[in-house]
Amino acid sequence: MRLQVLGTAAGGGVPQWNCACPGCSGARAHPGRRRRHASLAVQLDDGAYVVNATPDIAEQIESCAWLRPGPCPRESPLKGVILTDAELDHTIGLLRLREADALEVRSTPVVRHALRPFAELLRPYLQLTWADAATIPVSGKRPRYAAGSPEATGWVSALRLGPLVYAPAMGVWPDELDEAFRQAACVIVDGTFWDDEEPRRTGISARTATQMGHLPIEATMERLSKLPGRRLYTHLNNTNPLVDPAAEQHEVLGELGIEVAADGMVIDL
């Protein structure tokens, strides 16, 4: 399985355009610390897909040699998009793909329903088809724009993609996910916040990480360290100390055999 990490940041990226926190300021001063919105490029048996369509999707496709178009002017190897949820940071890039002739979007039914306005906007531009994704529910958190929608499973999911499990947002760690993790050759999971109080301590929210729908790294790293496959964190918020490569938290994870995913890294599975 061919896999390239296209981005590793939570909403807003690193740096975030309206923030001057240490993480964002450090990324402006040191461009190598910049992170695009969390996404993957995967080569499956039936074609090439991106996982989540972020605001950075055009640049992310350009960064992946095997996703670039050619040799014909409008010949693209990209078959579609697989979605983990309906958050704007993971779906707004669908609108940037309007130049495609056809596009398949895989998601849960509840995500598909939430994105009906996107489907209507794109209808005049391309042939958009929908299919189900192989998912495990990990949170019932709805996007803010869908706050009035009914509660349902499938709002936020972990994806099973052959030997890979990808879960950039995790509100819970259910038994089904634990079993999938143990069977996977590689797991890439939610590293949004280092500890539960980080959002409140840094002033970005009055809620804890868990209340925001993200299990913090401190709550998952010991459990993650016991898995047999390769283990990586992604979806780092700009407040997470891990956005600084010199932060001591990298050593903590290293001692547990856990990596922090980097933009552009290639993983062969």
Side-chain angles (χ1 to χ4, degrees):
M1 178 179 176
R2 188 160 53 167
L3 163 65
Q4 181 168 322
V5 178
L6 301 179
T8 55
V14 182
Q16 191 168 300
W17 69 271
N18 63 340
C19 183
C21 73
C24 290
S25 297
R28 290 190 181 97
H30 305 280
R33 299 185 188 179
R34 291 175 176 263
R35 294 176 182 266
R36 291 173 173 161
H37 290 83
S39 178
L40 300 177
V42 292
Q43 182 71 50
L44 304 180
D45 291 341
D46 61 341
Y49 290 80
V50 293
V51 179
N52 291 332
T54 81
D56 304 316
I57 192 164
E59 294 80 7
Q60 288 173 326
I61 289 173
E62 284 297 311
S63 73
C64 182
W66 48 274
L67 282 184
R68 295 174 193 156
C72 298
R74 290 179 60 84
E75 181 184 18
S76 170
L78 181 65
K79 182 174 181 180
V81 177
I82 307 172
L83 300 174
T84 61
D85 53 61
E87 293 287 351
L88 289 179
D89 295 317
H90 292 162
T91 59
I92 202 168
L94 290 171
L95 301 179
R96 294 202 67 184
L97 296 176
R98 65 181 178 84
E99 295 89 356
D101 295 323
L103 195 69
E104 178 187 295
V105 181
R106 298 183 184 181
S107 72
T108 61
V110 69
V111 168
R112 181 160 57 248
H113 181 78
L115 294 176
R116 284 187 305 170
F118 278 24
E120 291 302 316
L121 283 171
L122 289 168
R123 190 183 303 277
Y125 297 94
L126 78 161
Q127 180 183 350
L128 195 65
T129 59
W130 296 84
D132 291 334
T135 62
I136 300 170
V138 291
S139 175
K141 179 189 174 186
R142 292 161 288 183
R144 292 185 194 179
Y145 68 82
S149 300
E151 293 185 7
T153 59
W155 276 111
V156 184
S157 302
L159 298 178
R160 285 191 280 199
L161 302 167
L164 169 73
V165 177
Y166 184 63
M170 288 170 52
V172 295
W173 187 323
D175 291 342
E176 185 182 1
L177 181 62
D178 196 51
E179 182 62 25
F181 278 168
R182 293 188 179 280
Q183 295 174 0
C186 180
V187 298
I188 305 177
V189 304
D190 189 344
T192 308
F193 300 111
W194 179 262
D195 63 83
D196 206 32
E197 286 296 322
E198 183 182 318
R200 297 202 292 203
R201 186 176 61 253
T202 57
I204 66 167
S205 176
R207 297 175 293 167
T208 65
T210 305
Q211 290 169 343
M212 293 179 69
H214 298 282
L215 292 177
I217 290 174
E218 282 192 342
T220 62
M221 60 184 181
E222 292 289 344
R223 196 171 178 183
L224 203 64
S225 71
K226 295 178 173 60
L227 297 178
R230 189 173 180 183
R231 299 137 299 175
L232 304 95
Y233 280 115
T234 191
H235 201 263
L236 275 60
N237 198 59
N238 56 306
T239 57
N240 192 320
L242 291 172
V243 301
D244 181 351
E248 61 183 12
Q249 285 81 357
H250 287 279
E251 184 176 347
V252 173
L253 293 182
E255 291 175 353
L256 294 172
I258 302 173
E259 303 171 67
V260 177
D263 290 26
M265 73 186 306
V266 175
I267 300 174
D268 293 316
L269 295 173

